[in-house]
Amino acid sequence: MRLPSDPPLDPVVPGPVPPVIDLAHWRQQALAFEQTVAQAVIGQAQALRLLVLAVFCRGHVLLEGDVGVGKTTLLRAVARALGGPFERIEGTIDLMPNDILYSAFVAEDGRPRIQPGPILRRGGDLAVFFFNEINRARPQVHALLLRIMAERSVSAFQQDYGFPDLLVFADRNRVEREETFELPAAARDRFFMEIGIEAPADPHLRRQLAFSPRFHDADRLIAGLPDAVIDFRRLNAVAAAIQDHVQAGEEVEAYTFALWEALKFPHRHGISLPGVAMDRLVIGGASPRGVSALVRAARAAAWLDGRDYVVPEDLRLVFVPVMAHRLFLAPAYEARREQIMPALCRAVFDAVPTPR
C-alpha cells in the first residue's frame, strides 16, 4: 500500500518490441544461402548442409580432410554468402597469441607502432574468423582461440572486446604430423561440429574438378558468388526462434538419451568392435553440452526440412559431426580414431531401437 509521503513512481517506459521472426521466409533464405555456396563446390552436398545447420545454430565449425579437397574454398564461399566483415589467419609453428590481437612494427619515422590484429581489426562487427591449418599453431594460440569461441569476447589493451555475431571456422591438416599440435579436448569441444571433407567419389565430378577452368582459380570462383545472401546480424535472433519453434516429443527425447548412453558406455549396451576392449575404449566426453548441441542441430535440421518437430532421422543426420569429436578415447585407441569412431557410431545406431 502506498502512503501519501511515498515518492511518485517512475513511469513505465516500454522497451523496444523485438521484430517478429518469419521462419518460413528465413527457411527460404537459408536454402538460397546453401544454393549460393553450392556454386563454388561440387560433390559436397552433405558437408554443405551440415555447415548451413551450424550457421543457423550459431556454432563454430572445424573441417577435416586431405590436402587439396576444397576445405578452404568451401569456407571462403560460406563467408562470402554470409556477408559481414571477414578475417583470416594462417596457422604456423611460430604464431603466438599476440599475433592474433595486434601487430607491432617500426614506422617510416623510425618509431614503433601497434596495429590491431585480425581478431580486433573489424571491432565488434566481425562476422567470420577463419583459422587455416589450426593444428599448426601452438597450444597457447589454441587457448586464446578457446576463449574467443566460448565467450565471443577477448581482453586486450586493458579493455574487453565483444563479437556478438562471430562464427569461427577452421580447418585441420590431418596428413602431416611434424610441427603440428593436436587440439586439446576443451578446444575441440568448443567446435559445434567437426565435418569431414573428401574428394567426390563420382568420377564425373572428379573430372570436372580436374579439367573445368572454373575450378582452377579459387579467387575468381569466390568473387563470382553473390555477396551477403543473408543478414548475418539477425542470425542470433533467428537461431533462437528456431529452437523455440521446433519441438521434440517424449519418444525423441528418450531416443536421444539412449544414443547418448550407448555412445558413452558402449560395453553396457552389448556393443563390440573387432580388436577393441570396449570397457576401456571411452575415457571421457559426450558431455551434456555436447548433447545440447545435438538437439539444437536436430531442431535446425527439422526446420530446414520444413517441419516443426524432430524425427529420429534428424538426430542421425547430425550425430557423427556433433558428437564424435566430443568422445575421448584411451591413448591406445586414439591413433585409430578415424576408423573406430564411424564404426562405433554405426554400432550405437544398431544397438538403440529407433522409435516408430
Side-chain angles (χ1 to χ4, degrees):
M1 180 179 201
R2 288 182 46 77
L3 300 176
S5 59
D6 289 339
L9 293 175
D10 293 332
V12 176
V13 179
V17 178
V20 176
I21 304 297
D22 184 349
L23 288 180
H25 166 75
W26 271 97
R27 178 174 176 268
Q28 296 305 314
Q29 293 287 96
L31 294 174
F33 172 80
E34 183 177 43
Q35 292 169 3
T36 297
V37 178
Q39 298 175 34
V41 294
I42 57 175
Q44 305 293 347
Q46 183 175 4
L48 178 52
R49 172 54 60 98
L50 292 171
L51 269 168
V52 173
L53 295 180
V55 166
F56 280 87
C57 289
R58 311 306 295 142
H60 311 298
V61 174
L62 176 65
L63 292 189
E64 284 198 310
D66 293 336
V67 176
V69 294
K71 301 186 299 297
T72 302
T73 300
L74 176 57
L75 290 182
R76 288 179 62 190
V78 169
R80 181 170 178 83
L82 189 60
F86 165 78
E87 288 290 343
R88 172 178 175 174
I89 197 167
E90 304 294 324
T92 61
I93 191 172
D94 58 349
L95 185 72
M96 297 302 292
N98 289 343
D99 296 325
I100 297 179
L101 299 177
Y102 64 84
S103 60
F105 64 98
V106 178
E108 293 181 357
D109 60 5
R111 295 182 178 181
R113 294 286 189 272
I114 293 179
Q115 288 185 343
I119 201 69
L120 299 179
R121 192 175 294 135
R122 306 300 187 104
D125 289 334
L126 184 61
V128 174
F129 183 68
F130 174 34
F131 205 126
N132 192 34
E133 293 202 330
I134 189 173
N135 58 327
R136 289 195 181 278
R138 294 175 178 271
Q140 299 96 313
V141 178
H142 298 159
L144 176 62
L145 186 67
L146 176 63
R147 174 179 174 181
I148 295 171
M149 293 169 63
E151 304 176 14
R152 286 185 167 87
S153 68
V154 70
S155 298
F157 308 113
Q158 299 181 338
Q159 61 179 306
D160 292 334
Y161 296 83
F163 314 100
D165 302 308
L166 177 64
L167 284 177
V168 173
F169 295 143
D171 65 12
R172 179 166 66 173
N173 184 336
R174 72 181 184 189
V175 176
E176 298 178 80
R177 297 297 180 183
E178 294 183 0
E179 297 186 343
T180 61
F181 302 87
E182 286 304 317
L183 295 176
R188 294 188 70 175
D189 189 64
R190 293 298 180 181
F191 282 102
F192 186 75
M193 289 185 184
E194 282 194 12
I195 303 173
I197 304 293
E198 305 292 344
D202 186 336
H204 176 68
L205 297 181
R206 295 163 76 98
R207 287 171 65 91
Q208 286 190 55
L209 290 174
F211 291 100
S212 173
R214 182 169 177 269
F215 297 106
H216 294 171
D217 187 341
D219 291 339
R220 186 174 65 177
L221 181 65
I222 300 300
L225 299 179
D227 188 18
V229 177
I230 55 179
D231 183 355
F232 76 96
R233 291 184 178 87
R234 298 195 64 193
L235 286 178
N236 286 335
V238 174
I242 292 169
Q243 298 302 312
D244 290 339
H245 176 72
V246 180
Q247 303 301 312
E250 292 184 3
E251 289 187 347
V252 169
E253 288 187 7
Y255 182 60
T256 304
F257 184 78
L259 292 174
W260 180 17
E261 286 289 294
L263 184 66
K264 194 173 181 67
F265 306 107
H267 59 288
R268 298 181 185 176
H269 292 74
I271 295 174
S272 62
L273 298 176
V276 176
M278 301 305 296
D279 59 334
R280 297 196 295 270
L281 174 63
V282 179
I283 60 175
S287 66
R289 179 167 58 199
V291 181
S292 172
L294 175 67
V295 173
R296 287 162 55 201
R299 283 177 171 152
W303 165 73
L304 201 55
D305 204 36
R307 286 177 280 105
D308 62 358
Y309 57 91
V310 175
V311 296
E313 287 73 17
D314 298 323
L315 292 162
R316 294 166 74 96
L317 171 68
V318 300
F319 189 81
V320 173
V322 172
M323 298 296 290
H325 66 284
R326 290 183 160 94
L327 202 70
F328 308 117
L329 308 182
Y333 301 110
E334 190 61 42
R336 297 166 52 196
R337 167 178 285 273
E338 292 182 13
Q339 294 76 38
I340 289 176
M341 286 310 305
L344 177 60
C345 290
R346 287 193 298 268
V348 166
F349 292 145
D350 292 340
V352 178
T354 304
R356 298 293 181 183

